[in-house]
Amino acid sequence: MAISNIRYGEGVTQEVGMDLQNLGARKVCVMTDNNLGQLPPIKAVLDSLTKNGIHFQMYDNVRVEPTDYSFMDAITFAKKGEFDAYVAVGGGSVMDTCKAANLYASNPGSHFLDYVNAPIGKGKTVTVPVKPMIAVPTTTGTGSETTGVAIFDYKELKVKTGIASRAIKPLLGMIDPLHTLHMPERVVANSGFDVLCHALESYTALPYKMRSPCPSNPINRPAYQGSNPISDVWAIHALRIVAKYLKRAITDPEDREARASMHLASAFAGIGFGNAGVHLFHGMSYPISGLVKTYKAKDYNVDHSLVPHGLSVVVTSPAVFTFTAPMFPERHLEAAEILGADIRTARIKDAGFILADTLRKFLFDLDVDNGLTALGYSKADIPALVKGTLPQERVTKLAPRPQTEEELSTLFEASMQLY
Amino acid sequence: MAISNIRYGEGVTQEVGMDLQNLGARKVCVMTDNNLGQLPPIKAVLDSLTKNGIHFQMYDNVRVEPTDYSFMDAITFAKKGEFDAYVAVGGGSVMDTCKAANLYASNPGSHFLDYVNAPIGKGKTVTVPVKPMIAVPTTTGTGSETTGVAIFDYKELKVKTGIASRAIKPLLGMIDPLHTLHMPERVVANSGFDVLCHALESYTALPYKMRSPCPSNPINRPAYQGSNPISDVWAIHALRIVAKYLKRAITDPEDREARASMHLASAFAGIGFGNAGVHLFHGMSYPISGLVKTYKAKDYNVDHSLVPHGLSVVVTSPAVFTFTAPMFPERHLEAAEILGADIRTARIKDAGFILADTLRKFLFDLDVDNGLTALGYSKADIPALVKGTLPQERVTKLAPRPQTEEELSTLFEASMQLY
Ligand SMILES: NC(=O)c1ccc[n+]([C@@H]2O[C@H](COP(=O)([O-])OP(=O)(O)OC[C@H]3O[C@@H](n4cnc5c(N)ncnc54)[C@H](O)[C@@H]3O)[C@@H](O)[C@H]2O)c1
Ligand SMILES: NC(=O)c1ccc[n+]([C@@H]2O[C@H](COP(=O)([O-])OP(=O)(O)OC[C@H]3O[C@@H](n4cnc5c(N)ncnc54)[C@H](O)[C@@H]3O)[C@@H](O)[C@H]2O)c1
Ligand SMILES: [Fe+2]
Ligand SMILES: [Fe+2]
């Protein structure tokens, strides 16, 4: 169980220049997306760098929901810059792009697919040192500041995949809740669903002792090890915060307590799932966002179609839990209770339905689109969605219940409409 | 907030040889105490080293409740050995000795007082790299496998003090609950009280925002930062485990679930207090153990007088909480509830008394000696006990309420008898 360094507090971003000085950094790469480039979080970082005399170059071309092409563009920039430290200021899109840029710039001879998760890429172990990276998350969602994961949309295959290695975990995550005040409503909602799902999936993931294979040499064990007594603590804690604060954070931009709590919860859930893993919601979400047609995400200031990550993940959650609950019904029931269900008279065999119903109510209340249909999919897309899920075995095999192609089909079908 | 790597599971100790191989270690120092030298945990470690062809030397001369002299003996051994990795197999005494040996052997030119906490020592920042250390805890208490702290009894001053630096935090803590099966009853009890106090103190420590001074450069901030939203999670979680399992772990050596749970709780509480800090119980405990006269600790297989650390800490807890509760009464009440108090009709102003009473019952039930008197102290010793507490400002200043010398006197006096 590896955990990350995080620093929390309003205004901690002002310290980033000192941290870089302490690291002895001489040439720093600052990454962001061009929407954020205009907003206060990036200003706070640049001010601190200037004040501490840190020489830097700025890359603000990160794509929201990055692709292999956008990763490569950032990698090219990083290679040219020969940086000795990185600062990512943004949501998961920025942090993930920065991790990839750092990794490949530190290994200039490597091919892009070398480190991409097998079976899509070669899933090579990272053996060369990468540069220190500081992550300044501006969404309340991915927890990417605490994980060794970088996700992108692989255009050729129309499927999301990623790179997973402890080596690309940021040295420090600076959680400055001041940055959450600028988030538009749907970014709060969707990134909050990501936290919800990280917590729910890591808590219901296959227990670490049941995972196979279990390589005898510790160095060969995967980053995602299955649920365990430590990740459970983080998952449950994050889930409680989501239950208490997500709605408040979405509906009231002035509710600093709620937004700050969600900001911390995203890191907590990140520490949990970064060790335990996620499973079916995430596995099935990758084709849902990869195959996007014309869906335009409200409040996302971008010019391409996209299904925001958190939305693509949460939309299958009721169907998936109805399917997985027979394996660890107590945990499913416990999750339902935390999310507000009255389980005093509940029967254990109804755990899946109860949790699914609780989630449906929760999502309806938070204005989530009515299922895959509302995201532009129809029954005819199911084979492609299933095909895109199959290579996600790194996560899908952590589901508490194994799935046939037919079962995956049924799960997508059951997710066409939520209410 | 810096956190540690831990690996948990029955039998994980068998992997230590592979980990050392992965680290490229060629000459390893294995440390333990001579009581443990005869027991299965050390055998498991040596078997794994042998099996993986790791060359090692064994130091089994660790003193239970180490002193400056015993630290120095271990340091001399480490300097001679020129090791490139360390494995500590034992309780806090062994792990702390190993941390010190590693630190000073990595800085052969330094003087012993250089890294000892100010004002007793010079409290220098560690700037040279130390060797990787793997900690295999065999007690369910200190959490030293997760902290950058090494405690010893400074003989000249008759007071305990320590070394605190992130640099000496073990690379990996291997929590193998099989090792807990050999612990004698009082070692389970006393090390369990240490967990209890780590959790209670870090939860009630001064909040991190109220700590002063708060150095503007992050690198100068102390390891102990005050209570914070992350350490709180660990503290509360550990406290719940103690409430549920400590008694079972003490009374039934065959209760594997209880012993394994306490083993994890010690690491959880360690992660909590390693970041938040401890305060008055620990500050006052150092003279209580440092000034020991003739008290012989039951079940401790040693030939010198000693007040076991956990006992020296817990004995002042009722008095201290009566004193500190006015500052953060809700937290005191919450702790009392977790430890079994019915607080439905409690008045907030009684928080201190309620928690103190709850603790007294808890300790009585677990056969704790009746206060400082039972440990061999009388009123006449109070000035010396106070004098020994004053230099512990690194921790005492984290107490939620500042203390005059007179108040410290009163707290010692109130701890003479518990029941
Ligand atoms: N690495 C991991 O561990 C991990 C985990 C989950 C998700 N992800 C990935 O992260 C990406 C999603 O990241 P995300 O949900 O954080 O969103 P994002 O980074 O894609 O950003 C979403 C939008 O919000 C804007 N935005 C961000 N912060 C803002 C702020 N403070 N004020 C105003 N606008 C702001 C951005 O400019 C962008 O338009 C996906 O690619 C997903 O796959 C990674
Ligand atoms: N570094 C830290 O963060 C930290 C925190 C708290 C306490 N401490 C220090 O740790 C020391 C106390 O450590 P401790 O409470 O773990 O006890 P310990 O290491 O002093 O051991 C106590 C006794 O138990 C025996 N023992 C240990 N494990 C055993 C096992 N599995 N089976 C049988 N016997 C076993 C030992 O041989 C010894 O006789 C004190 O010096 C204290 O100040 C350090
Ligand atoms: Fe996610
Ligand atoms: Fe302690």
Side-chain angles (χ1 to χ4, degrees):
Chain A
M1 171 93 197
I3 326 191
S4 329
N5 294 326
I6 63 183
R7 192 182 303 151
Y8 168 74
E10 288 193 358
V12 290
T13 311
Q14 290 161 21
E15 299 170 358
V16 67
M18 264 182 292
D19 287 303
L20 290 163
Q21 224 174 37
N22 294 338
L23 285 170
R26 295 167 176 284
K27 195 174 175 200
V28 173
C29 175
V30 178
M31 290 212 168
T32 194
D33 64 47
N34 59 30
N35 176 38
L36 274 159
Q38 321 301 322
L39 295 173
I42 196 79
K43 189 174 175 304
V45 167
L46 299 188
D47 281 355
S48 174
L49 298 195
T50 310
K51 206 168 136 193
N52 288 279
I54 302 283
H55 180 65
F56 66 89
Q57 279 178 32
M58 171 101 152
Y59 179 86
D60 67 358
N61 204 22
V62 165
R63 188 181 198 271
V64 175
E65 304 281 330
T67 64
D68 46 346
Y69 296 109
S70 78
F71 265 18
M72 278 189 282
D73 189 64
I75 292 166
T76 306
F77 182 87
K79 281 185 174 166
K80 271 204 203 112
E82 298 188 347
F83 302 107
D84 53 14
Y86 291 78
V87 181
V89 187
S93 297
V94 175
M95 292 187 276
D96 289 7
T97 302
C98 191
K99 291 175 186 175
N102 183 3
L103 173 62
Y104 289 95
S106 303
N107 295 257
S110 57
H111 295 285
F112 185 68
L113 282 179
D114 283 355
Y115 297 116
V116 171
N117 295 324
I120 295 170
K122 294 195 191 138
K124 273 197 191 166
T125 304
V126 179
T127 50
V128 296
V130 303
K131 305 291 186 229
M133 163 179 165
I134 296 179
V136 184
T138 65
T139 60
T140 52
T142 67
S144 179
E145 67 278 14
T146 70
T147 72
V149 175
I151 304 289
F152 66 95
D153 192 357
Y154 194 26
K155 277 296 176 191
E156 206 172 293
L157 298 182
K158 287 205 174 189
V159 77
K160 275 189 149 187
T161 181
I163 299 165
S165 163
R166 293 182 181 91
I168 58 173
K169 183 182 291 203
L171 181 73
L172 177 66
M174 287 196 150
I175 302 185
D176 184 342
L178 286 180
H179 302 332
T180 65
L181 301 178
H182 320 98
M183 272 195 292
E185 194 208 275
R186 280 297 107 184
V187 177
V188 181
N190 292 326
S191 64
F193 299 142
D194 200 16
V195 179
L196 171 71
C197 293
H198 292 159
L200 288 171
E201 284 170 89
S202 59
Y203 194 60
T204 55
L206 206 62
Y208 74 110
K209 285 188 183 169
M210 293 169 68
R211 190 194 73 231
S212 79
C214 179
S216 65
N217 190 331
I219 213 174
N220 296 325
R221 290 187 193 144
Y224 288 176
Q225 341 172 353
S227 64
N228 61 69
I230 303 182
S231 62
D232 287 349
V233 177
W234 295 109
I236 287 294
H237 191 64
L239 194 59
R240 284 188 213 283
I241 300 178
V242 170
K244 180 167 179 188
Y245 288 113
L246 179 56
K247 186 171 183 177
R248 284 171 51 181
I250 294 173
T251 48
D252 182 3
E254 304 291 309
D255 190 337
R256 289 168 96 111
E257 182 188 340
R259 292 215 167 175
S261 299
M262 284 302 304
H263 212 193
L264 263 182
S266 74
F268 292 168
I271 299 175
F273 95 81
N275 284 276
V278 283
H279 58 81
L280 272 181
F281 312 173
H282 271 76
M284 293 169 65
S285 83
Y286 296 137
I288 294 172
S289 40
L291 295 169
V292 61
K293 297 172 190 176
T294 56
Y295 183 78
K296 294 277 179 211
K298 189 168 163 257
D299 285 349
Y300 285 65
N301 193 2
V302 295
D303 52 14
H304 52 278
S305 301
L306 69 83
V307 183
H309 173 68
L311 181 58
S312 72
V313 170
V314 85
V315 70
T316 59
S317 63
V320 167
F321 275 147
T322 315
F323 171 74
T324 57
M327 306 317 274
F328 300 99
E330 294 81 6
R331 290 198 165 216
H332 288 72
L333 215 49
E334 194 184 345
E337 186 178 26
I338 295 175
L339 291 173
D342 180 352
I343 62 159
R344 278 171 303 177
T345 59
R347 287 175 309 184
I348 196 78
K349 73 179 179 51
D350 295 331
F353 298 106
I354 295 172
L355 179 52
D357 260 1
T358 309
L359 280 167
R360 272 191 215 98
K361 274 190 214 122
F362 192 81
L363 299 182
F364 183 79
D365 194 35
L366 298 176
D367 276 336
V368 171
D369 291 306
N370 192 5
L372 291 175
T373 317
L375 305 183
Y377 292 102
S378 72
K379 271 197 172 186
D381 300 307
I382 292 181
L385 291 166
V386 171
K387 192 168 158 248
T389 306
L390 296 177
Q392 309 297 340
E393 51 172 54
R394 191 179 63 97
V395 293
T396 53
K397 76 178 179 214
L398 283 171
R401 179 173 170 181
Q403 328 88 45
T404 62
E405 285 188 42
E406 213 164 23
E407 284 163 334
L408 286 175
S409 252
T410 312
L411 292 175
F412 280 114
E413 194 170 338
S415 304
M416 283 291 161
Q417 296 217 338
L418 287 177
Y419 320 116
Chain B
M1 171 93 195
I3 324 190
S4 328
N5 294 325
I6 63 182
R7 191 182 304 152
Y8 168 73
E10 288 195 356
V12 290
T13 312
Q14 289 161 20
E15 299 171 357
V16 66
M18 263 181 295
D19 288 301
L20 290 163
Q21 223 174 38
N22 294 338
L23 286 169
R26 295 169 176 282
K27 196 174 173 200
V28 173
C29 176
V30 178
M31 290 212 168
T32 193
D33 65 47
N34 60 30
N35 176 36
L36 274 159
Q38 321 301 322
L39 295 173
I42 195 80
K43 189 173 175 304
V45 167
L46 299 188
D47 283 354
S48 173
L49 298 195
T50 310
K51 206 168 137 193
N52 288 278
I54 302 282
H55 180 66
F56 66 89
Q57 279 178 32
M58 169 102 154
Y59 179 85
D60 68 357
N61 204 22
V62 165
R63 189 180 196 270
V64 176
E65 304 281 330
T67 63
D68 47 346
Y69 296 110
S70 79
F71 265 19
M72 277 186 286
D73 189 65
I75 292 166
T76 307
F77 181 87
K79 282 185 173 166
K80 271 205 204 115
E82 299 187 345
F83 303 107
D84 52 14
Y86 291 78
V87 181
V89 187
S93 297
V94 175
M95 293 186 276
D96 288 7
T97 302
C98 192
K99 290 174 186 176
N102 183 4
L103 172 62
Y104 289 96
S106 304
N107 296 257
S110 57
H111 295 286
F112 185 67
L113 282 179
D114 283 354
Y115 297 116
V116 172
N117 295 325
I120 294 170
K122 295 196 190 138
K124 275 197 190 165
T125 304
V126 179
T127 50
V128 296
V130 304
K131 304 292 186 226
M133 165 180 163
I134 296 178
V136 184
T138 64
T139 61
T140 51
T142 67
S144 180
E145 67 278 14
T146 70
T147 72
V149 175
I151 304 288
F152 66 95
D153 192 357
Y154 194 25
K155 276 298 177 190
E156 207 172 293
L157 298 182
K158 285 203 175 187
V159 76
K160 273 189 151 186
T161 181
I163 299 163
S165 163
R166 292 183 182 91
I168 58 173
K169 184 181 290 202
L171 180 73
L172 177 66
M174 286 196 150
I175 301 184
D176 184 341
L178 286 180
H179 301 333
T180 66
L181 302 177
H182 319 99
M183 271 195 293
E185 193 208 275
R186 279 298 108 183
V187 177
V188 180
N190 291 326
S191 63
F193 299 142
D194 200 16
V195 179
L196 172 70
C197 293
H198 293 160
L200 289 171
E201 285 170 89
S202 58
Y203 194 60
T204 55
L206 206 63
Y208 73 110
K209 285 188 185 169
M210 296 171 66
R211 190 193 75 230
S212 77
C214 180
S216 64
N217 189 329
I219 213 174
N220 296 324
R221 291 189 192 142
Y224 288 176
Q225 341 174 350
S227 63
N228 60 69
I230 303 182
S231 63
D232 286 350
V233 178
W234 294 108
I236 287 295
H237 190 65
L239 195 59
R240 284 188 213 282
I241 299 178
V242 170
K244 179 165 179 191
Y245 288 113
L246 178 56
K247 186 169 181 178
R248 282 171 51 181
I250 294 173
T251 49
D252 182 2
E254 304 292 310
D255 190 336
R256 290 168 95 112
E257 181 189 340
R259 292 213 167 178
S261 300
M262 284 302 304
H263 212 194
L264 263 182
S266 74
F268 292 167
I271 299 174
F273 95 82
N275 284 275
V278 284
H279 58 82
L280 273 180
F281 312 172
H282 271 76
M284 294 169 65
S285 84
Y286 297 137
I288 294 173
S289 40
L291 295 168
V292 61
K293 297 171 188 176
T294 56
Y295 183 79
K296 295 277 181 215
K298 188 168 163 258
D299 285 350
Y300 284 66
N301 193 2
V302 295
D303 52 16
H304 52 278
S305 300
L306 69 84
V307 183
H309 172 68
L311 182 57
S312 71
V313 171
V314 85
V315 72
T316 60
S317 62
V320 167
F321 276 145
T322 314
F323 171 74
T324 57
M327 307 316 276
F328 301 99
E330 293 81 5
R331 290 198 166 215
H332 288 73
L333 216 49
E334 193 185 344
E337 187 178 24
I338 294 175
L339 291 173
D342 180 351
I343 63 159
R344 278 170 303 175
T345 59
R347 288 174 308 183
I348 196 79
K349 73 179 177 55
D350 295 332
F353 298 107
I354 295 172
L355 178 52
D357 260 1
T358 309
L359 280 168
R360 272 190 214 98
K361 272 188 217 125
F362 191 82
L363 299 181
F364 184 79
D365 194 35
L366 298 177
D367 277 337
V368 172
D369 291 304
N370 192 5
L372 290 175
T373 318
L375 305 183
Y377 292 101
S378 72
K379 271 196 170 185
D381 300 307
I382 292 181
L385 290 167
V386 171
K387 190 165 160 253
T389 305
L390 295 177
Q392 310 298 339
E393 51 171 54
R394 190 179 63 95
V395 292
T396 54
K397 74 177 180 217
L398 283 172
R401 180 174 171 180
Q403 328 87 44
T404 62
E405 286 188 41
E406 214 164 20
E407 284 164 334
L408 286 174
S409 251
T410 313
L411 291 175
F412 279 114
E413 194 171 336
S415 305
M416 284 291 162
Q417 294 218 338
L418 286 177
Y419 319 116

